[in-house]
Amino acid sequence: MEKIQLVLVDDELSSRNTIKKYLEENDIYEIIADFKNGKTALDWLRKNSVDILLCDMQMPEMNGVELMRNVHIIMNISRLLQLVDLMILIL
């Protein structure tokens, strides 16, 4: 069974590390990338796909709401079909 792929976006390193530690030895989820702001996460998301995006609401440069808006904008029809199971959670 393939693991569900997660990306973390949070400006606080301690928060990212806590989530990583919590999920590191499970059979369901795999953290494939983490970012300290929405801008770098968006650049990565333009080239990669993910099952779940865990995102902090308040971050410098680009907050969680702005990131979510941009994620929806960059998703074209063909990519939308590939990512139909994308789940977005704002922490």
Side-chain angles (χ1 to χ4, degrees):
M1 178 182 192
E2 282 188 43
K3 289 188 175 187
I4 296 169
Q5 296 182 330
L6 291 155
V7 169
L8 303 176
V9 187
D10 195 318
D11 58 316
E12 294 183 29
L13 180 61
S14 62
S15 295
R16 293 194 317 269
N17 287 340
T18 299
I19 294 169
K20 284 185 207 177
K21 185 163 181 67
Y22 182 74
L23 295 175
E24 70 186 356
E25 297 205 18
N26 73 81
D27 296 329
I28 299 171
Y29 302 103
E30 173 186 18
I31 298 172
I32 59 171
D34 69 282
F35 302 96
K36 65 180 179 180
N37 66 59
K39 197 170 190 178
T40 54
L42 185 61
D43 290 340
W44 187 88
L45 288 165
R46 284 188 171 112
K47 301 172 199 134
N48 301 279
S49 62
V50 63
D51 298 315
I52 299 175
L53 177 61
L54 293 173
C55 181
D56 185 13
M57 189 74 144
Q58 297 178 350
M59 298 180 288
E61 293 188 53
M62 180 183 291
N63 67 37
V65 174
E66 291 172 298
L67 174 59
M68 295 304 108
R69 284 185 187 137
N70 281 285
V71 165
H72 289 288
I73 289 169
I74 64 169
M75 293 173 70
N76 60 35
I77 297 300
S78 63
R79 188 149 184 216
L80 180 60
L81 293 174
Q82 294 171 4
L83 299 176
V84 74
D85 292 328
L86 176 67
M87 182 186 301
I88 301 173
L89 302 175
I90 300 179
L91 304 175

